[in-house]
């Protein structure tokens, strides 16, 4: 498959109002792509659009407000995108949310809220826009999974379930779309400096002081600039990489999971004690409820 061509194509990015999504929007504009940006935060999304238009007045930008937790709203915006953009060269499903708490500390509604945004919205948008990708020669699909789509630490049952699902979905599509000429990339960021830790929900059964202790500890591990992460992703897209891991905080746990798939939890606990692993240790309440070090919607 030939290298991806950015100039002149239309790129759809979800979660574009902050973090990696915002950085991707700027990076795509610099590379000559027109943009369709989705987010639920009107103020931040307007600011991103204004900044890109000021820097790249020749780019076409289409912005849509949508809460991806609302299935009907997601379906409506997907239909609108199909109508307005029958040919799409790049779709980046980036939006994501976090929930702190063990499985027995969160309600079923809280758990399914994460699944709806992090996985089902990815499926809905991809299913709706796949014909537009197939219609555009050299198109590409990017689904942003997670470090926690590679490993599943205590306190991240909902988040890991959603991100492992994204990983499996993406890998299947990679194999299915080869003959259609559509490239597919699964992205697994490590400790990216975004708002997701601050904006994560707390499970109803999680003591607030435990969650705050875990959140503060986790925020210290968010060291990678979103702009750097976006550049790594876009380089992977250009080269048609099937999988992109960002930072050693993703690469080392990935290796660990490969070497010790059934027993890496004990190593993670030791790594957390040494402040190197970047993931919560099992059976330690203040660490097991911390949110994932990634993006936000």
């Amino acid at each position: 498959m030939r290298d991806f061509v950015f100039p002149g194509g239309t790129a759809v990015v979800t979660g574009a109002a902050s973090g990696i999504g915002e950085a991707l929007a700027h990076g795509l504009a610099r590379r000559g792509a027109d943009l369709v940006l989705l987010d639920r935060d009107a103020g931040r999304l307007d600011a991103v659009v204004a900044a890109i238009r000021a820097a790249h007045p020749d780019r076409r930008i289409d912005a849509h407000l949508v809460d991806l937790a609302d299935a009907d709203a997601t379906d409506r915006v997907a239909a609108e995108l199909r109508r307005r953009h029958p040919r799409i060269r790049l779709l980046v499903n980036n939006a994501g949310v976090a929930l702190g708490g063990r499985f027995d500390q969160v309600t079923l509604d809280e758990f399914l809220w994460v699944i709806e945004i992090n996985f089902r919205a990815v499926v809905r948008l991809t299913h709706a826009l796949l014909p537009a990708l197939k219609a555009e020669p050299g198109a590409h699909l990017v689904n942003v999974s997670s470090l926690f789509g590679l490993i599943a630490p205590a306190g991240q049952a909902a988040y890991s379930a959603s991100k492992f699902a994204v990983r499996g979905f993406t890998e299947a599509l990679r194999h299915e779309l080869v003959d259609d000429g559509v490239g597919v990339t699964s992205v697994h960021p490590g400790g990216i400096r975004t708002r997701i830790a601050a904006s994560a929900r707390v499970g109803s059964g999680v003591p607030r002081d435990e969650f705050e202790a875990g959140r503060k500890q986790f925020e210290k591990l968010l060291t990678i600039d979103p702009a750097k992460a976006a550049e790594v992703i876009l380089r992977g897209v250009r080269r048609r990489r099937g999988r992109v891991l960002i930072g050693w905080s993703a690469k080392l746990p990935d290796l660990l999971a490969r070497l010790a798939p059934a027993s890496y939890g004990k190593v993670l606990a030791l790594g957390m004690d040494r402040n190197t692993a970047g993931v919560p240790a099992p059976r330690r309440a203040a660490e097991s409820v911390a949110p994932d070090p990634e993006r936000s919607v």
Side-chain angles (χ1 to χ4, degrees):
M1 193 175 291
R2 294 183 178 179
D3 283 358
F4 182 82
V5 178
F6 293 95
T10 297
V12 179
V13 181
T14 70
S18 63
I20 293 177
E22 178 182 2
L24 283 170
H26 282 278
L28 287 165
R30 287 194 301 272
R31 287 166 170 79
D34 294 324
L35 301 172
V36 179
L37 306 180
L38 282 66
D39 205 282
R40 66 182 180 186
D41 189 325
R44 288 180 180 272
L45 186 59
D46 287 346
V48 171
V49 171
I52 294 175
R53 282 179 173 157
H56 308 282
D58 56 334
R59 299 290 178 269
R60 289 176 292 185
I61 306 175
D62 190 8
H64 296 264
L65 289 176
V66 60
D67 182 354
L68 297 179
D70 185 332
D72 291 338
T74 302
D75 289 342
R76 285 195 298 271
V77 78
E80 177 69 6
L81 294 185
R82 277 285 307 277
R83 185 184 66 81
R84 298 179 65 169
H85 305 280
R87 298 170 72 99
I88 294 172
R89 192 171 298 173
L90 178 64
L91 169 60
V92 183
N93 286 304
N94 162 76
V97 293
L99 172 68
R102 299 189 313 269
F103 185 62
D104 60 358
Q105 292 178 314
V106 306
T107 67
L108 185 58
D109 285 343
E110 290 167 341
F111 190 99
L112 294 178
W113 170 75
V114 176
I115 300 298
E116 188 67 46
I117 296 174
N118 290 3
F119 179 56
R120 294 185 66 181
V122 171
V123 173
R124 289 177 183 279
L125 287 173
T126 302
H127 192 269
L129 299 181
L130 191 54
L133 288 169
K134 288 183 176 181
E136 177 72 6
H140 202 91
L141 167 67
V142 175
N143 290 333
V144 180
S145 178
S146 170
L147 159 64
F148 292 163
L150 302 169
I151 59 172
Q156 293 294 330
Y159 196 86
S160 287
S162 70
K163 292 304 185 176
F164 268 81
V166 169
R167 173 185 169 186
F169 175 63
T170 307
E171 290 185 6
L173 289 184
R174 185 184 308 131
H175 302 144
E176 291 181 5
L177 296 176
V178 169
D179 292 340
D180 295 293
V182 178
V184 180
T185 299
S186 176
V187 178
H188 300 270
I192 313 301
R193 195 168 58 247
T194 69
R195 299 174 54 245
I196 198 166
S199 61
R201 284 191 180 182
V202 187
S204 299
V206 179
R208 188 70 198 188
D209 58 341
E210 290 183 3
F211 178 84
E212 285 299 322
R215 181 185 61 79
K216 290 177 181 178
Q217 185 177 35
F218 240 55
E219 285 184 339
K220 295 177 182 178
L221 302 169
L222 308 185
T223 60
I224 302 174
D225 190 322
K228 180 178 179 180
E231 289 301 306
V232 173
I233 293 170
L234 293 176
R235 285 199 300 270
V237 170
R238 180 175 63 82
R239 298 170 184 170
R240 306 287 191 169
R241 301 293 191 198
R243 193 168 76 149
V244 172
L245 275 63
I246 304 175
W248 286 108
S249 54
K251 295 175 182 178
L252 289 178
D254 177 55
L255 178 60
L256 177 60
R258 291 168 183 264
L259 294 175
S263 57
Y264 63 76
K266 296 178 182 178
V267 182
L268 292 183
L270 292 174
M272 193 60 162
D273 287 338
R274 296 172 184 172
N275 198 32
T276 58
V279 294
R283 294 191 299 274
R284 295 177 59 175
E287 293 165 5
S288 67
V289 297
D292 177 53
E294 286 186 27
R295 308 155 325 284
S296 63
V297 175

